[in-house]
Amino acid sequence: MDEEDLQELTSSKRLGLTEEFDLPKDEHGRFQSDFGNDTLSNLASGLMGLVAPAHESMGAKLLQKMGWRQGQGIGPRIAQMDIDVTFAPADTPIQHFNAKADSFGLGYDLVENVPQVAEMRRYQQQKRDQHMGKAITSKRAGFGVGVYEDENDDVMPYDDGISTRDLPRDYHHVIYDEDHETLLLHRQSARPKSTYSRPSCVTRCSDGHLPMNGFHISTAPYEHGKWYLPPDVPDIFDEFRTVLFATTKAQQPRNLTMDARGAVLGEQSLGERSVFDFMSTDSKKKLKQAAMQIEIDSKAPESNPLDKSKLRTILVSKEVAELALQGFIPFGDNLEKQRRYRKYLQICSQQNDNETSESQTIFPVPAGLSYDSGMKEMDEFIKSAKIFRPISGMMSSRFTTASNDLSNFGQSLSGEPSGKLEQVVFEGGLKSGKDWKKERDAQAQTQQEPSHAVCEQTEAATMGMFGSLTRTAKAFYPNRLVCKRFNVPNPHPDHLQEQNVNSRTQAGSSSILSDNVMGALVNQTVPNNNVQKDAAKEDPMMAAIIARPSMQVTESPTADQETQEDSQNIERPSLDIFKSIFENSDDESVDTNENEDSSPHLSKQCLATVEESDDFIGPSPPQHDAMTTTAESNLTDSSNKFAVHVKSEEFVVPPFQSRLASFDYHERSDRERTRSKHTKRKRDDDRKPSREIKHSKKKKEHKKRRHRHDSSRTDLLDDLSMWVEKKTT
Amino acid sequence: MAYPTECIQTLKGHKGPVNVIRYNVHGQYCVSGGRDRSVRLWNPKTGNHLYSYEGHGREVLGVSVSRDNAKLASCSADKAVILWDVSTGQLQRKFTDHWERVNAVDFNDDNSLLISGSFDSTLRIWDLRSSNFHAIQVIEDAKDSIMSLQVRGTEIICGCNDGKLRTYDLRAGQLFEDQLGAPVTSTRMSNDTNCILVNTLNSTIRLMDKANGQQLAEFKGHKHETYKVDSALSFDDAQCISGSEDGQIYIWNVADGLLLKTLASHRGVISSVDAHPTDLGLVSGGDDGLVRVWQ
């Protein structure tokens, strides 16, 4: 027997909590244990109550950490009415509930009403105690009482003193029962058989088994209930299904439409329905048109072989035609063709807006041409009309016609040999210096008036005649928010502000030569005043056409703005930016480029980049307001006189003059000096010379750069002209 | 005809030339900005140096005090305009939109806008009520560096190196440009807002009529050909006071244009002067780093 067996033997041990986790000592006294109010537990708790345990229970430790003390209750502190001190709640005793195992009434106390019960319980307790007492004492006395002790001779050494009778019946002391010669492992065998005895002659069930315990075969018959017979199955009955009669009726419903089915069923019809009811009128119209178009198209090829004597083409739009009429008229080598082209353009320009664009007009096949070549010719006309437009002055001034093409220009509308128009055969190249000088002088004269104004101003200023002479008034458009902050109503409520306030404004824009801008420049048509007038004189038909100054097809986002400004400035002579840029450095006298007219901010952009790219720290030329009443641009003559302040003006304008180190060094340096005056305060005297030197270098580089750029533009036009050439031949 | 004659205080503190000196609206304090990148607040009467605002990266070229004395604006060669809180000395806003050094700055009467003029020839208007870090409007009429600026009521005057004095009238939505012939370095409106006092680089000070651009008076005698020099009108518009490059303060009588007095005040250029707004008084700042208060 080892420890485990012993423990089992001494089964008086009961399961409980260790001291650590158990209730505190005082609780034991109150705790009515299930195990009975036996003396030992009472004794133990009583004893324990006297001696404080070495270990506190875990629960107590936890509570103490939270501020509890032995004897206090758990819960929120109680505040007395009159005193400011709060008290811990009183400790509540543990309620121990005894499960009701009897069926007496509530509150019925057996001991009270039946006094004998108490006696009996006492007696039973005694008996139990005897045995338990013996067992425990023997246990306590130690296992294996020696034979030397005379306490109880009857006690067998391996007997714990408890008779087998009192032990649970399942407990076996021996495994092998010698008397019965059976293993006592099965409990069942240990258990006596049930006392229930059957009668010897018992009726068995129908299958031969004995009935279960507690049952016997009844003698009375069993009423099963009414039994119904299954139906009669005919002889021909077969488990497999076959269709004997093929009905056509089953097929009919497949061919029925919804409406027909409805009719068969006897429903009311929904009426006529059409998918077109669900479309909007616009889409219906479009469908109709498309259908018509398809019909026309399908018919057209059919008609073509029928009618090869007529040419069917589309007309170009009115605006394009008008522009084309102003522009270069090609086909100079074929006068007839040219005539037909012009006629075509005239017809196009005279078309009404009422006619739809899809309408095709019929032209007679030209004499001497087949139908195919006639159609080809019409195509050429359409394409030429789209290409040849009068180009803006600055572009036109770049080109002059070759001498052998002078005859062509007899046909052109402008009629001037120096040509403001684009040429097809690119032989003319750049203008010769003389030609161009002449032209420029002519232009310069027209521009003298605005320049005078500025000179006057400065003259007046020097003379001290301040007042109306020196004063210019312009419109100023304060921001909406600015007006608000100043508590002033917006003086120009209709003026739309540009949105790019934060970004570098156009004056400082580096994208001047971007695609948009260049596109605008190229496509712009700002015919010279002279040209227009002459043209009107020469050709009465032209006079009938009202030339719009700024027709172009640019994709520039600021196109609208440009057109606005252009239209406003149409009276002014055109600004030749490129002319000014590529102006010969020999020519100092004329400075015609202060006019910010036809493309004011564009020109400023151009100049601005010129400024910018020069790396010169200077104010970028600002955007002039289109509403300038006086053009205060030109300071040519005054440049020499008023060295100091004017240099800043000149800077804005054609960079060339003032920038050349060789010529205008002294003038430049004056301006430099004014600028660097403020830097002088830093007393960095060494800055000045280095800056100036840097500039002269930069200028030359810039000059080169610009030339290169120009050549790229001419390449583009080259391509165009080449393309046109191919087509005509 | 009283004019300041005596230097009652010398305010020392700047380590380098003083570029600008300005009184506040009532004349109790003056603010100076100098080459040492600091903006200093002084009490001119007692001579106390009250605060030094550090934050600029380069020399301070212009200062202005708001009309409620709560804010201070300064502009600098580092292209920034900074708005300071006067009492705490905290930097409240820094506007860096300008492309070049900012020469002048001013508040509007409501203290809701700052207007600054710069070497990049733009005038930028900054909104102080919103937290917008960009200018709400950029005025690009000038063709050269804007040297000086003043905002009064609904008008902005600025002087530019292209020789023009520009007056922006916000109410009328008009800009008046007056050609003066020489770069304009300083512009001040008279206290009755009818006239503008301009300093031009040909050693001339002119008093221009704001309405029609005519010259009302001309003052000469000082030296002003190279550096930026301020001029101011006394509180009663009776005297014109100007600094000079020869270190003397010149005081003219406005009525007849005669030179009243020259006060030897600084060694070097007197870059900035300001007249007391309500009383007889004058404050000047010069290249020697001193600020002198005159009475």
Side-chain angles (χ1 to χ4, degrees):
Chain A
M1 278 206 174
D2 55 5
E3 281 181 27
E4 289 170 351
D5 293 330
L6 282 171
Q7 277 170 10
E8 282 198 33
L9 277 173
T10 59
S11 60
S12 59
K13 270 200 171 178
R14 67 178 194 280
L15 191 67
L17 299 158
T18 60
E19 275 172 36
E20 211 182 322
F21 292 92
D22 202 356
L23 291 166
K25 53 190 189 314
D26 4 348
E27 299 295 308
H28 278 284
R30 296 187 240 170
F31 190 67
Q32 297 290 328
S33 63
D34 274 324
F35 307 115
N37 205 0
D38 51 332
T39 50
L40 194 60
S41 58
N42 281 341
L43 179 70
S45 57
L47 279 170
M48 291 307 163
L50 291 171
V51 181
H55 308 283
E56 267 190 333
S57 70
M58 285 302 288
K61 275 188 206 163
L62 285 169
L63 281 168
Q64 271 170 4
K65 277 191 184 164
M66 287 188 252
W68 171 86
R69 272 187 301 212
Q70 286 279 357
Q72 284 184 353
I74 306 294
R77 292 184 81 86
I78 297 160
Q80 297 256 322
M81 292 285 279
D82 40 355
I83 314 164
D84 283 331
V85 186
T86 56
F87 297 97
D91 201 8
T92 49
I94 293 173
Q95 296 277 353
H96 182 75
F97 301 99
N98 289 327
K100 193 169 166 45
D102 49 24
S103 53
F104 301 124
L106 286 173
Y108 179 81
D109 194 0
L110 194 60
V111 178
E112 196 184 290
N113 300 346
V114 183
Q116 294 90 344
V117 166
E119 233 183 272
M120 277 202 51
R121 280 190 184 162
R122 232 178 292 124
Y123 172 72
Q124 276 170 5
Q125 189 68 18
Q126 260 182 355
K127 274 192 95 177
R128 235 180 284 152
D129 284 344
Q130 268 179 357
H131 288 297
M132 294 304 278
K134 275 187 198 171
I136 287 164
T137 49
S138 67
K139 186 174 71 179
R140 292 206 175 207
F143 154 74
V145 178
V147 290
Y148 307 111
E149 287 186 24
D150 300 328
E151 204 174 294
N152 197 350
D153 288 339
D154 293 332
V155 175
M156 286 153 70
Y158 295 102
D159 193 10
D160 56 355
I162 301 168
S163 62
T164 52
R165 265 191 294 122
D166 295 326
L167 284 173
R169 291 175 193 273
D170 291 342
Y171 192 84
H172 298 289
H173 291 270
V174 289
I175 293 171
Y176 185 65
D177 193 2
E178 285 175 2
D179 299 331
H180 296 102
E181 287 183 349
T182 53
L183 284 171
L184 294 173
L185 289 171
H186 282 285
R187 286 183 187 172
Q188 278 178 1
S189 50
R191 216 180 277 153
K193 295 234 191 271
S194 65
T195 49
Y196 181 74
S197 59
R198 286 175 191 277
S200 52
C201 52
V202 61
T203 328
R204 288 176 179 261
C205 298
S206 57
D207 55 359
H209 288 300
L210 278 170
M212 289 192 303
N213 277 345
F215 287 89
H216 68 94
I217 305 293
S218 69
T219 49
Y222 175 65
E223 288 290 328
H224 287 285
K226 200 171 179 199
W227 177 258
Y228 295 95
L229 287 171
D232 281 331
V233 179
D235 296 332
I236 61 166
F237 177 72
D238 195 1
E239 287 151 23
F240 304 102
R241 275 185 69 213
T242 51
V243 177
L244 287 175
F245 307 104
T247 51
T248 51
K249 260 192 192 174
Q251 285 163 6
Q252 263 177 10
R254 284 180 219 139
N255 294 336
L256 284 173
T257 62
M258 195 180 79
D259 298 326
R261 275 202 297 274
V264 167
L265 286 167
E267 289 173 350
Q268 275 186 339
S269 72
L270 291 169
E272 277 291 315
R273 293 183 307 276
S274 163
V275 71
F276 290 101
D277 294 340
F278 300 106
M279 290 199 311
S280 63
T281 47
D282 289 334
S283 37
K284 271 194 229 170
K285 271 188 195 166
K286 281 184 194 168
L287 265 178
K288 259 192 196 171
Q289 281 178 357
M292 274 162 49
Q293 187 66 23
I294 292 165
E295 282 182 35
I296 292 166
D297 289 345
S298 60
K299 282 178 200 162
E302 295 153 25
S303 65
N304 234 356
L306 299 171
D307 191 6
K308 279 224 168 173
S309 62
K310 307 277 182 197
L311 297 170
R312 284 174 179 271
T313 53
I314 51 168
L315 299 177
V316 288
S317 67
K318 197 172 174 183
E319 297 83 21
V320 174
E322 281 168 16
L323 275 177
L325 279 168
Q326 290 171 35
F328 177 64
I329 307 290
F331 316 122
D333 47 354
N334 188 343
L335 296 178
E336 272 297 309
K337 191 169 176 179
Q338 213 180 54
R339 196 179 52 78
R340 285 194 292 268
Y341 174 59
R342 211 174 294 135
K343 190 135 187 266
Y344 170 77
L345 287 177
Q346 281 158 18
I347 291 169
C348 289
S349 59
Q350 281 162 4
Q351 66 180 307
N352 299 326
D353 290 326
N354 298 335
E355 294 173 11
T356 56
S357 55
E358 297 118 25
S359 74
Q360 296 177 346
T361 51
I362 301 167
F363 291 93
V365 178
L369 285 173
S370 69
Y371 172 78
D372 292 326
S373 50
M375 283 304 285
K376 208 169 149 190
E377 198 184 72
M378 293 306 287
D379 284 335
E380 277 173 32
F381 286 166
I382 293 162
K383 281 171 189 156
S384 314
K386 285 179 185 165
I387 294 170
F388 292 112
R389 272 174 268 134
I391 53 172
S392 58
M394 44 129 179
M395 290 305 287
S396 71
S397 63
R398 296 304 307 135
F399 305 105
T400 190
T401 56
S403 52
N404 57 358
D405 270 337
L406 269 174
S407 56
N408 292 347
F409 285 87
Q411 313 295 328
S412 75
L413 297 164
S414 65
E416 284 184 31
S418 56
K420 304 291 175 198
L421 306 167
E422 202 177 295
Q423 62 166 34
V424 176
V425 180
F426 193 65
E427 285 170 21
L430 307 177
K431 287 181 193 168
S432 69
K434 284 180 195 160
D435 281 338
W436 187 70
K437 257 194 216 174
K438 274 188 228 161
E439 216 186 308
R440 198 188 48 191
D441 291 338
Q443 274 190 5
Q445 269 158 28
T446 59
Q447 291 159 11
Q448 275 308 307
E449 292 91 22
S451 66
H452 274 310
V454 188
C455 312
E456 279 174 23
Q457 264 197 352
T458 46
E459 276 187 31
T462 46
M463 288 198 290
M465 289 164 30
F466 297 99
S468 52
L469 287 170
T470 54
R471 179 164 270 217
T472 52
K474 286 185 205 173
F476 165 56
Y477 303 106
N479 217 352
R480 189 193 57 82
L481 186 57
V482 171
C483 294
K484 190 174 147 195
R485 293 274 181 257
F486 270 101
N487 269 327
V488 158
N490 196 342
H492 301 276
D494 304 327
H495 178 78
L496 290 162
Q497 279 289 344
E498 282 187 20
Q499 274 131 10
N500 52 344
V501 186
N502 304 331
S503 60
R504 269 181 107 93
T505 53
Q506 277 147 353
S509 167
S510 57
S511 63
I512 158 172
L513 294 172
S514 68
D515 293 326
N516 293 343
V517 172
M518 281 315 298
L521 284 174
V522 170
N523 292 325
Q524 223 175 25
T525 61
V526 186
N528 232 337
N529 277 335
N530 308 332
V531 177
Q532 255 196 326
K533 288 170 195 164
D534 293 340
K537 275 186 242 160
E538 282 183 9
D539 201 342
M541 195 167 48
M542 263 300 284
I545 298 166
I546 303 158
R548 260 186 259 164
S550 57
M551 292 180 246
Q552 80 286 51
V553 283
T554 81
E555 290 90 33
S556 161
T558 57
D560 292 337
Q561 267 213 338
E562 287 164 29
T563 53
Q564 279 174 24
E565 297 188 41
D566 292 342
S567 52
Q568 285 164 1
N569 298 323
I570 188 58
E571 286 79 27
R572 301 175 191 277
S574 62
L575 169 66
D576 295 343
I577 309 169
F578 290 111
K579 197 198 289 185
S580 66
I581 291 170
F582 299 108
E583 181 179 359
N584 214 337
S585 57
D586 295 328
D587 300 317
E588 279 185 16
S589 55
V590 184
D591 197 4
T592 61
N593 305 298
E594 271 293 4
N595 305 312
E596 55 289 334
D597 310 323
S598 58
S599 47
H601 62 270
L602 289 172
S603 66
K604 287 298 159 289
Q605 282 170 8
C606 179
L607 294 161
T609 37
V610 156
E611 297 290 316
E612 251 194 5
S613 49
D614 206 48
D615 201 27
F616 177 70
I617 302 168
S620 13
Q623 173 182 352
H624 277 293
D625 200 286
M627 300 266 291
T628 314
T629 50
T630 63
E632 37 163 87
S633 21
N634 230 334
L635 294 172
T636 52
D637 297 331
S638 60
S639 61
N640 301 319
K641 292 182 204 167
F642 309 105
V644 175
H645 71 284
V646 172
K647 283 314 129 214
S648 53
E649 285 276 342
E650 232 182 35
F651 224 78
V652 171
V653 181
F656 252 58
Q657 269 200 328
S658 46
R659 278 151 167 266
L660 285 173
S662 51
F663 286 103
D664 304 352
Y665 185 71
H666 63 286
E667 290 173 349
R668 270 280 297 119
S669 64
D670 273 347
R671 189 176 176 283
E672 261 289 314
R673 254 181 266 137
T674 47
R675 187 62 59 69
S676 60
K677 264 169 211 168
H678 304 287
T679 59
K680 248 193 202 173
R681 295 166 101 204
K682 293 174 189 163
R683 280 167 199 169
D684 290 336
D685 292 321
D686 49 339
R687 276 185 76 179
K688 190 178 163 186
S690 60
R691 262 179 118 197
E692 284 170 0
I693 291 166
K694 204 168 72 162
H695 273 288
S696 52
K697 278 188 195 161
K698 284 275 176 177
K699 279 175 230 156
K700 287 170 191 160
E701 285 174 348
H702 201 76
K703 207 172 158 183
K704 284 185 217 155
R705 249 183 275 141
R706 260 182 250 131
H707 278 296
R708 251 184 271 126
H709 178 79
D710 176 57
S711 61
S712 70
R713 272 246 59 83
T714 56
D715 287 336
L716 178 63
L717 289 163
D718 265 351
D719 293 337
L720 277 174
S721 57
M722 295 310 279
W723 183 83
V724 172
E725 277 278 51
K726 278 179 198 161
K727 273 290 169 183
T728 48
T729 51
Chain B
M1 184 51 76
Y3 47 83
T5 48
E6 195 193 325
C7 174
I8 53 166
Q9 289 283 356
T10 303
L11 309 174
K12 289 185 191 131
H14 273 290
K15 300 178 193 63
V18 174
N19 287 333
V20 64
I21 179 89
R22 289 279 180 270
Y23 271 111
N24 73 332
V25 124
H26 302 298
Q28 304 135 335
Y29 303 104
C30 62
V31 184
S32 66
R35 175 98 79 85
D36 61 351
R37 310 187 292 273
S38 67
V39 175
R40 285 171 202 264
L41 179 70
W42 313 86
N43 183 333
K45 283 204 180 61
T46 63
N48 283 340
H49 173 212
L50 296 167
Y51 208 94
S52 176
Y53 303 90
E54 307 279 351
H56 275 297
R58 293 255 165 92
E59 59 172 345
V60 180
L61 295 170
V63 286
S64 173
V65 188
S66 70
R67 311 288 179 256
D68 58 1
N69 298 332
K71 301 266 165 55
L72 177 59
S74 64
C75 64
S76 155
D78 64 355
K79 310 175 198 169
V81 173
I82 293 182
L83 181 76
W84 307 91
D85 182 54
V86 173
S87 47
T88 63
Q90 292 284 337
L91 187 152
Q92 292 208 322
R93 301 272 176 87
K94 192 170 184 187
F95 300 108
T96 50
D97 263 9
H98 274 291
W99 310 324
E100 298 296 336
R101 64 171 192 257
V102 191
N103 286 325
V105 69
D106 204 4
F107 280 90
N108 70 336
D109 283 353
D110 276 340
N111 307 317
S112 56
L113 291 179
L114 260 184
I115 298 161
S116 59
S118 157
F119 186 80
D120 65 4
S121 74
T122 59
L123 270 174
R124 278 178 209 256
I125 305 182
W126 314 91
D127 186 21
L128 301 178
R129 293 266 163 83
S130 65
S131 57
N132 195 355
F133 282 103
H134 294 288
I136 55 175
Q137 185 160 9
V138 179
I139 300 170
E140 290 178 302
D141 290 297
K143 294 206 197 83
D144 206 332
S145 165
I146 293 174
M147 293 304 304
S148 60
L149 174 60
Q150 194 181 10
V151 182
R152 263 301 187 104
T154 59
E155 280 170 341
I156 306 169
I157 57 166
C158 68
C160 179
N161 257 4
D162 61 3
K164 295 210 175 139
L165 165 70
R166 288 183 173 81
T167 309
Y168 293 88
D169 185 352
L170 268 106
R171 202 164 257 134
Q174 284 235 298
L175 157 64
F176 296 106
E177 286 185 1
D178 295 321
Q179 175 66 265
L180 294 171
V184 178
T185 50
S186 159
T187 53
R188 281 304 176 103
M189 243 194 264
S190 64
N191 288 324
D192 59 356
T193 71
N194 285 334
C195 324
I196 302 173
L197 189 72
V198 280
N199 246 6
T200 51
L201 219 52
N202 49 9
S203 299
T204 317
I205 303 177
R206 296 177 209 274
L207 188 69
M208 313 293 291
D209 189 345
K210 194 174 73 175
N212 50 23
Q214 285 178 354
Q215 182 183 295
L216 298 169
E218 194 181 80
F219 309 107
K220 286 196 186 204
H222 62 297
K223 186 168 173 241
H224 180 28
E225 263 143 37
T226 332
Y227 298 98
K228 180 181 176 189
V229 167
D230 270 354
S231 60
L233 281 168
S234 63
F235 75 105
D236 50 0
D237 294 341
Q239 290 109 36
C240 162
I241 304 150
S242 167
S244 164
E245 286 164 17
D246 54 16
Q248 306 208 3
I249 298 175
Y250 287 75
I251 305 176
W252 290 268
N253 186 357
V254 170
D256 51 19
L258 295 173
L259 181 64
L260 286 172
K261 187 93 169 105
T262 55
L263 299 164
S265 59
H266 296 270
R267 269 179 302 137
V269 178
I270 301 172
S271 33
S272 184
V273 289
D274 197 13
H276 198 285
T278 53
D279 201 3
L280 198 66
L282 168 61
V283 69
S284 70
D287 266 8
D288 50 5
L290 301 173
V291 174
R292 286 192 201 270
V293 185
W294 303 83
Q295 197 101 55

